[in-house]
Every structure is written in structure tokens, then in C-alpha cells.
Amino acid sequence: MQLKENQFEIQGLNVPDICKEFGTPLYVYDAQKIKQQVENLKKAFSGINLKIKYASKALTNISILKLIKSYGCEVDVVSMNEAKMAFLAGYKSNEILFTPSGVSFEEIEEAVEKGLMINIDSIPLLEKFGQQYGSSIPCCFRVNPHIQAGGNFKIQTGHKDSKFGISILQMDEVNAIISKYNIQLVGLHMHTGSDIKEFEAFIQGAELMFNLAKNHPNLKFIDFGSGFKVPYKKDEEGTDIFALGKLLKESYDKFTEEYGRAVEIWFEPGKYLVSECGHFFAPANIVKQGPTSAFVGLDSGLNHLIRPMMYDAYHEIFNVSNPNGELKRYNVVGYICETDNFGWDRELNEVRPGDIIGLKNAGAYCFSMSSNYNSRVRPAEVLVINGEAKLIRERETFEDLIEKQIDVFKEIPV
Ligand SMILES: *Cc1c(COP(=O)(O)O)cnc(C)c1O
């Protein structure tokens, strides 16, 4: 997005015009930005036998899945419904990695039937998988490397008290189960968390995985998960993936020599691919001055974008309609009946009722975490591609809210 002659633009399209055409609140995604991120990753990890498995939970719209596929990526899913969406978007079963956490065995069986690569998250599941399938189905398992990293405790997944994966201290038990059932282990996986700026954490993880790999001679891939940080604040930096790529290549080359074969290296970026492509736009319903601070109340709330309230995430907020207005300080809040601040004490160009307010970094974990709380409908989504704005999800309606509800009192008189 660019500010050009006092107008915000996405691929040359005027943002207020997009908002007028599709209505607000509205999610708008820029395909160009996603493409650029994919290209950055490919460049950063060139010389490595790389596969990018888009973590589709970040933004699970079918058009986005197709778009990312067209850029040469595969996909990582965490539920069978996500897998079904990936199939609808054209991914083949061998392009889908299934990384569930503590799901029912029925879901695992369904994934096996559909031919997905199964990522095993616990010792009891490995045992059950061995009993059921023996050596007939290839799989990988998720290692908990005991590395503490990531932006917010709720999104740290690789420390010793995390529910995720099999502890690196339990590898003897894992090896015993693998031998007992002759399990066909073709991959190792780890995912330390999200929003990890320090690339050293990735290198530490990589070294650990390469070491572990030496005990498993038939690997096709090692999956380092993701967690790349992207900039949220002005002047903030994300993970330096180019520095990481360089160091990783050194470790990878060394490992390849020892292992005797160049295994594939997988990454599963979600946020890195789609965070910055997205903007969320909602009008200011009210502007009010309190005794100590001023408030901008948006025509939206945590039902549409929950990251600030759930993870204390920082999303840059700006006034689309008045880019040259005097700078003032506001708390930007939602309309939900609890404290749903999008931002505290933020500097914005003067906000007038009706102005369109934008939030940045609204591609990852924003729409996909939205809800119908307060019986509000979810917004529409628009993809800007080749200089055109295309609707990729309709705004919900009241009918959608009641569609699955059953009024028993139609049958029971009260
Ligand atoms: C959520 C998730 C990712 C993506 O993490 P980002 O921080 O969005 O890149 C990757 N792998 C797994 C297993 C995940 O659960």
C-alpha cells in the first residue's frame, strides 16, 4: 500500500474506492506482496533443497490457497477441514502435510486414507500409529526441541512445558517404538513458535535436528516449521531470513556431506507469507473525548480482529480518509461489550466520524480467527490481483447467523 497524492492505494487502486465498492468492514489482500514474500524465501534459501509449505491456518481462503499454490508452494494443514480446502484449491495429497495437535485417531485415519503426510505429535500416537499401520504408511514426528522463543507466551510452542511435540529427551522411547513396529520414518519436524526475531533460535534448532537426523537413515525431509517474524511497527525489523539462509546453508552442506544425501528442507511459513499483504478497513462510528483520553470507536471489534486483545499484538493504525490531518492521540476501540482496544494511545491524523480507519498486518490470523461474537457478521474479503480488486468472500448476513440454529419451541408449546 502506498500514499500517493494524499490517497492510499493498493496496486494503483484507491483504497476509499475499494471500501465503497465492497462495503466495510473489509479485509483487503495484496497478491503482489505475497508473491514478493515467496520470492524472498526462495532467494534466502537458495542452494538448499527447499520446499515451502504454507501454514494455511493463517489465512484459509480458497483463492489465497490457489494463489500461493501458483507461486510454487505446498501446504501445511492442522485439521482435515483445512486439508479439504487445500484439495479444493488443487493441492495434491503428496503436497499436504498434516500437523495436528492432539486430535482424535479418527482424524488421523482419515488423513491416512486421503494420502497426506502425517506429522506425529506424541508418543501415544506414535505407538497407536505403529500398531495400526506398521511399516505401510510413511510419517514424520514433531520434536519439541526445548527452545524458548517467540513473540508472546501463547504462541511459543517449543519450550519444555509446551503441549506440542515429543520432547527431545524422549528420543530413546521414540526409537524403540519405531523399531518395534518398523515404522517408516521419512521426516523430522519442529516448530518453535511464532514471531521469532532472533535467527539464532532457528540455527540452534537446525543443529539439533541435523544431529537427530543422523539416527534416522531414511529421511526424505527435515521440516523446520516457521515462526519468522515480520515487522509490525514502523522501523521494526523482522527475522533476517537472508542471514539465516546463509548460516543454514553452511550447516546444511556439512550435514549433507555426513548424511550422504541432500534431504529436502521444509519451512511452513504462515505469517511471513500473508501478514503484510493484508489490511483491515473499518469506519469510525464515534469520536469521543474523555477526561484523560480521546476514543475512536470503530464499526468493528474483537469479533473481526482479535490479535491485539488476545496476544497484545501491535497493529499499526492509520486514518485512510484524512492522511494530512493534524496528528492527535486516540485509543482505538471496538464495539464489542468488553474492552476490545485495537490500540492504546495511538497517534493518528485527526479522526472525524465516518473516516475509514486502516489496520496493517491484517493478513495472518485475523480473518481466520474471526467470530460471530455479539451476533455480528464477519466481513467480506477482497484480493487485489493484476490491478483489480476481486471479492473472495461475501460478507455474512443475519441468515448465516441463524442458519444452524434450531427452534425447539416450534414443536414444544410454551
Ligand atoms: C501455525 C503454524 C505455522 C505457522 O507459523 P507462523 O508463525 O505463522 O509462520 C507453522 N507450522 C505449524 C505446525 C503451525 O502450527
Side-chain angles (χ1 to χ4, degrees):
M1 199 184 48
Q2 278 183 308
L3 187 58
K4 232 180 179 173
E5 289 158 19
N6 300 333
Q7 297 282 335
F8 283 98
E9 288 185 348
I10 297 173
Q11 289 188 29
L13 301 180
N14 176 279
V15 169
D17 287 350
I18 299 175
C19 291
K20 209 174 283 165
E21 181 178 352
F22 298 98
T24 52
L26 186 69
Y27 278 101
V28 181
Y29 311 116
D30 180 353
Q32 196 55 44
K33 183 66 190 172
I34 301 177
K35 187 173 185 200
Q36 186 194 327
Q37 296 296 89
V38 174
E39 282 168 4
N40 282 349
L41 282 178
K42 287 184 179 168
K43 222 180 282 165
F45 298 106
S46 63
I48 288 172
N49 197 354
L50 173 77
K51 267 194 180 167
I52 302 172
K53 301 260 172 184
Y54 168 53
S56 67
K57 72 179 187 291
L59 177 59
T60 325
N61 189 292
I62 287 177
S63 295
I64 298 291
L65 290 170
K66 277 197 178 176
L67 182 77
I68 289 177
K69 184 174 190 304
S70 78
Y71 297 149
C73 299
E74 299 183 354
V75 73
D76 174 53
V77 303
V78 292
S79 72
M80 277 314 291
N81 286 341
E82 275 189 13
K84 286 174 196 164
M85 282 193 223
F87 280 126
L88 278 181
Y91 292 86
K92 296 193 194 75
S93 56
N94 64 357
E95 297 172 328
I96 306 175
L97 171 66
F98 184 46
T99 303
S101 167
V103 299
S104 73
F105 199 71
E106 285 73 39
E107 205 168 330
I108 300 287
E109 286 173 321
E110 196 187 343
V112 169
E113 272 162 38
K114 296 264 158 59
L116 311 189
M117 175 60 65
I118 315 290
N119 191 358
I120 292 179
D121 184 62
S122 70
I123 286 178
L125 179 58
L126 187 66
E127 178 94 41
K128 184 122 199 223
F129 195 86
Q131 279 167 4
Q132 180 110 346
Y133 299 111
S135 64
S136 65
I137 305 290
C139 66
C140 62
F141 70 86
R142 177 171 186 164
V143 183
N144 182 332
H146 297 196
I147 295 172
Q148 186 128 27
N152 176 289
F153 188 67
K154 285 180 199 157
I155 53 176
Q156 295 177 354
T157 55
H159 56 88
K160 71 179 186 326
D161 296 315
S162 161
K163 69 169 183 172
F164 292 99
I166 303 175
S167 164
I168 187 76
L169 303 176
Q170 294 173 311
M171 290 302 117
D172 287 348
E173 218 175 315
V174 165
N175 294 341
I177 297 171
I178 290 175
S179 318
K180 182 171 165 197
Y181 299 105
N182 200 14
I183 291 173
Q184 209 191 123
L185 186 79
V186 294
L188 295 175
H189 172 277
M190 69 161 204
H191 173 63
T192 349
S194 198
D195 226 31
I196 305 168
K197 179 168 183 312
E198 307 309 329
F199 61 81
E200 291 81 359
F202 292 96
I203 293 294
Q204 195 190 341
E207 293 288 346
L208 187 146
M209 295 292 271
F210 287 144
N211 252 326
L212 193 60
K214 290 172 194 161
N215 305 327
H216 301 286
N218 302 315
L219 298 182
K220 291 203 174 89
F221 65 89
I222 300 175
D223 184 335
F224 292 125
S226 169
F228 302 135
K229 180 174 174 48
V230 295
Y232 277 82
K233 294 181 180 162
K234 258 190 207 124
D235 307 323
E236 191 182 35
E237 280 175 35
T239 313
D240 186 347
I241 59 161
F242 290 92
L244 170 61
K246 217 171 138 225
L247 281 180
L248 185 65
K249 178 149 175 23
E250 286 170 21
S251 310
Y252 176 74
D253 287 345
K254 216 165 88 214
F255 166 72
T256 301
E257 211 175 292
E258 288 167 15
Y259 199 68
R261 202 151 57 69
V263 301
E264 291 173 4
I265 296 297
W266 294 6
F267 279 105
E268 306 163 341
K271 191 174 275 183
Y272 187 82
L273 291 188
V274 297
S275 175
E276 292 163 282
C277 81
H279 288 87
F280 180 60
F281 299 109
N285 284 342
I286 56 136
V287 182
K288 91 174 176 186
Q289 181 65 51
T292 51
S293 44
F295 294 88
V296 172
L298 299 188
D299 196 29
S300 180
L302 62 77
N303 51 323
H304 295 155
L305 198 157
I306 200 173
R307 297 190 72 260
M309 306 82 182
M310 183 133 166
Y311 306 123
D312 293 324
Y314 184 100
H315 288 255
E316 226 183 277
I317 306 177
F318 58 105
N319 188 342
V320 174
S321 306
N322 190 21
N324 290 314
E326 186 191 340
L327 286 172
K328 297 195 164 179
R329 301 195 86 86
Y330 301 97
N331 290 331
V332 181
V333 301
Y335 55 24
I336 294 293
C337 296
E338 56 184 272
T339 302
D340 59 343
N341 282 46
F342 290 105
W344 300 83
D345 194 28
R346 296 295 186 86
E347 201 165 64
L348 270 78
N349 299 106
E350 182 176 10
V351 182
R352 306 149 309 181
D355 281 358
I356 302 281
I357 304 302
L359 273 82
K360 292 192 184 174
N361 288 84
Y365 309 107
C366 289
F367 188 93
S368 66
M369 292 180 81
S370 64
S371 74
N372 292 122
Y373 187 41
N374 280 204
S375 293
R376 299 275 180 188
V377 297
R378 275 177 286 208
E381 295 177 286
V382 163
L383 177 66
V384 180
I385 180 158
N386 304 329
E388 275 186 78
K390 300 278 191 196
L391 189 65
I392 58 170
R393 185 192 300 267
E394 287 177 33
R395 186 176 309 284
E396 288 177 342
T397 62
F398 176 70
E399 285 64 39
D400 294 319
L401 297 182
I402 54 168
E403 197 197 352
K404 296 286 183 219
Q405 298 195 37
I406 297 164
D407 178 1
V408 289
F409 294 107
K410 273 188 181 159
E411 289 141 40
I412 308 170
V414 274

Coordinates of all heavy atoms in Angstrom, one line a residue, residues 131 155 200:
Q131 N 1.0 -49.6 15.7 CA 0.1 -50.7 15.8 C -0.8 -50.9 14.6 O -1.0 -51.9 14.1 CB -0.8 -50.6 17.1 CG -0.1 -50.9 18.4 CD -0.9 -50.5 19.6 OE1 -2.0 -49.9 19.4 NE2 -0.4 -50.7 20.8
I155 N 2.1 -18.1 21.9 CA 2.5 -18.6 20.6 C 3.9 -19.2 20.6 O 4.5 -19.3 19.6 CB 2.4 -17.5 19.5 CG1 3.1 -16.2 19.9 CG2 0.9 -17.2 19.2 CD1 3.1 -15.1 18.8
E200 N 19.1 -16.8 15.4 CA 20.0 -17.8 16.1 C 19.1 -19.0 16.6 O 19.5 -20.1 16.7 CB 20.7 -17.2 17.3 CG 21.8 -16.2 16.8 CD 21.3 -14.8 16.5 OE1 20.1 -14.6 16.5 OE2 22.2 -14.0 16.1

